[in-house]
Amino acid sequence: MPKDRTPTRIQKKNRAAILEAALNVFSANGFRGATVDQIASEAGLSKPNLLYYFPSKVDMHNALLAQLMDTWLDPLREMDEDGEPLTEIMAYVRRKLQMSRDFPRESRLFANEIVQGAPRIHDALNHDLKTLVDEKTKLLERWMADGKIARVHPYHLLFSVWSLTQHYADFDVQVRAILGDEDPFDGADPFLETLYLRLLTP
């Protein structure tokens, strides 16, 4: 879509519909398995109409990932250095778990990108993500040094939060196959609270 014009209401609506459709297709099929034809069909638009807004599937994928990175970093940004450490860490765990509940497609999109070597967000991982994680691990280390939480490896603590919360989105089919009608998030919250409080309470 030409960038020197203010988009009309219809253009904004079509762009949003395309990105919503692309999210569905990419999260289900991965970048390599997705096609422009699939996305156009999902969006209810002709392929030429879709390509007016996004010239390629790379452009659609990049647009989704750009939106996703901020969403992905926000829960960690909210960890407050002036808060009570165990409360702040558990609030972070719950925010990550809620993201898996509310944004499962985005989680799978991110996971697919990482599995493929992160070719489209490599710079963001090495700069935006690493800078934030380094900042928060220093905060965790300070809390440990002050005796406010037990001493553990701070980076691996964050890795464990990511894996234990994102699992419910990325492996949703497996989780629900095992649990049946039980809502997996109902049991996840108290389990993770017990796990991390026992791990981190001095």
Side-chain angles (χ1 to χ4, degrees):
M1 184 173 68
K3 296 181 179 179
D4 56 348
R5 300 177 187 171
T6 301
T8 65
R9 181 181 62 82
I10 294 298
Q11 287 171 335
K12 290 179 181 178
K13 179 180 177 182
N14 284 345
R15 181 181 171 87
I18 291 167
L19 289 178
E20 178 72 10
L23 180 57
N24 284 335
V25 174
F26 284 130
S27 65
N29 303 301
F31 177 78
R32 292 174 185 166
T35 68
V36 172
D37 287 324
Q38 288 173 328
I39 297 170
S41 176
E42 180 81 10
L45 297 170
S46 68
K47 184 175 179 178
N49 197 1
L50 180 147
L51 293 174
Y52 169 79
Y53 294 93
F54 295 96
S56 70
K57 75 173 185 177
V58 171
D59 293 303
M60 289 180 274
H61 200 255
N62 286 345
L64 288 170
L65 288 172
Q67 293 175 358
L68 178 58
M69 280 308 298
D70 268 343
T71 302
W72 224 242
L73 297 177
D74 282 345
L76 187 55
R77 288 188 181 115
E78 292 178 34
M79 188 183 288
D80 185 0
E81 63 179 320
D82 296 322
E84 196 283 317
L86 284 173
T87 300
E88 288 300 317
I89 293 168
M90 287 312 308
Y92 173 59
V93 173
R94 292 193 178 97
R95 287 193 295 272
K96 288 292 292 178
L97 190 62
Q98 191 64 41
M99 280 191 66
S100 283
R101 180 171 221 157
D102 294 344
F103 304 108
R105 297 172 303 165
E106 289 85 348
S107 184
R108 289 190 287 273
L109 177 77
F110 186 80
N112 282 329
E113 174 70 7
I114 297 298
V115 166
Q116 292 176 24
R120 286 158 288 275
I121 59 169
H122 193 268
D123 288 345
L125 294 180
N126 284 334
H127 295 96
D128 298 357
L129 177 64
K130 180 166 175 49
T131 298
L132 178 62
V133 169
D134 286 347
E135 173 192 325
K136 295 304 181 180
T137 54
K138 287 178 183 176
L139 173 60
L140 292 170
E141 288 173 334
R142 188 163 76 246
W143 285 341
M144 292 173 200
D146 291 343
K148 294 179 179 179
I149 59 174
R151 187 168 292 280
V152 297
H153 195 298
Y155 287 103
H156 290 288
L157 173 61
L158 293 180
F159 295 160
S160 76
V161 173
W162 300 347
S163 62
L164 288 172
T165 55
Q166 291 166 215
H167 177 89
Y168 292 96
D170 300 343
F171 291 86
D172 174 75
V173 173
Q174 174 178 272
V175 170
R176 293 185 185 277
I178 293 169
L179 293 179
D181 294 334
E182 179 184 342
D183 186 335
F185 293 95
D186 289 345
D189 190 300
F191 173 79
L192 293 176
E193 179 176 14
T194 299
L195 179 71
Y196 283 108
L197 287 182
R198 288 184 179 179
L199 173 69
L200 295 172
T201 298

